[in-house]
Amino acid sequence: MGKRYYCDYCDRSFQDNMHNRKKHLNGVQHHRSKKAWFDHFRDSSAILYDEQAKKACRKFLQKGICDFGPNCRFSHMSEEDLENLKRQVEDERQLREDSEDPFLPGRSIEEWLSRREKKQTAHGVKGNLENKDDCEDSQGESDIPPQLLSIPDLPPSLLPPPAGGWKATVNTEWG
């Protein structure tokens, strides 16, 4: 029977040889299927921009169906669909703006990590007790940024330590 080639975009298989594969990969159906696949992952703001630039499809508005389907060069979105898409884009934009820390404007996670690293190296070099006490006092002011805590279902290894620190139990018995 021979080897078969399966195209994930088109969901079809055919005998694998150079001629058949080249014919398929250069075909209109494959290009349309590939475009439809990647359009599925497009940003809603890009979709809104493209749909606003298109004119409405008369056949789709009259009959509710268009022979060209998703490949039509006219828009198949109603005014209500466009409004919903605008609201979705606005909600996403607002969510991105709200994700920034409102209490510490301009402070990003990268800045917090670099400050934390500098403090650890500074206190690692100076190993006296006074500096360790200072480090614990300054730790409260530079706690974990809220952006990191806003992520749901963090694994235990990424959760911040409790306020009193971890309870250490000394186990002197070995196996």
Side-chain angles (χ1 to χ4, degrees):
M1 178 159 164
K3 292 171 107 180
R4 298 200 56 82
Y5 178 79
Y6 178 76
C7 179
D8 289 318
Y9 300 115
C10 303
D11 191 29
R12 60 180 286 221
S13 66
F14 49 87
Q15 187 175 5
D16 189 20
N17 61 41
M18 189 171 62
H19 173 73
N20 288 349
R21 190 183 291 204
K22 185 175 181 180
K23 184 177 177 183
H24 173 77
L25 293 178
N26 290 330
V28 174
Q29 179 185 358
H30 176 75
H31 285 283
R32 286 181 179 164
S33 299
K34 188 175 174 182
K35 182 184 181 306
W37 171 258
F38 283 105
D39 284 350
H40 179 71
F41 300 103
R42 287 180 57 204
D43 190 20
S44 54
S45 59
I47 294 171
L48 178 64
Y49 178 77
D50 287 347
E51 290 296 323
Q52 287 177 332
K54 295 178 183 178
K55 293 181 181 178
C57 179
R58 284 187 290 167
K59 191 168 188 178
F60 188 79
L61 291 176
Q62 291 171 350
K63 298 183 179 180
I65 192 166
C66 176
D67 296 335
F68 295 102
N71 300 319
C72 184
R73 66 181 189 159
F74 299 105
S75 176
H76 290 177
M77 287 192 146
S78 65
E79 290 297 321
E80 183 181 323
D81 292 337
L82 281 173
E83 288 301 317
N84 289 339
L85 190 57
K86 284 179 187 177
R87 251 185 260 116
Q88 181 182 352
V89 168
E90 184 61 30
D91 291 344
E92 288 174 0
R93 186 189 61 77
Q94 188 67 33
L95 185 64
R96 277 194 307 267
E97 289 177 359
D98 290 346
S99 70
E100 295 174 6
D101 190 3
F103 303 114
L104 300 168
R107 184 170 170 199
S108 67
I109 293 174
E110 290 81 17
E111 291 175 23
W112 177 82
L113 285 172
S114 64
R115 285 183 47 207
R116 182 174 176 259
E117 185 177 335
K118 287 177 187 176
K119 283 184 182 179
Q120 285 179 344
T121 56
H123 293 297
V125 172
K126 303 174 187 175
N128 57 20
L129 292 173
E130 294 174 351
N131 288 336
K132 287 182 182 177
D133 291 338
D134 292 341
C135 179
E136 290 173 5
D137 292 340
S138 65
Q139 189 78 12
E141 112 354 22
S142 141
D143 255 343
I144 309 292
Q147 295 97 328
L148 293 178
L149 297 177
S150 66
I151 302 170
D153 302 328
L154 280 174
S157 61
L158 296 178
L159 288 174
W166 301 108
K167 295 179 181 172
T169 58
V170 178
N171 188 1
T172 57
E173 292 183 28
W174 288 89

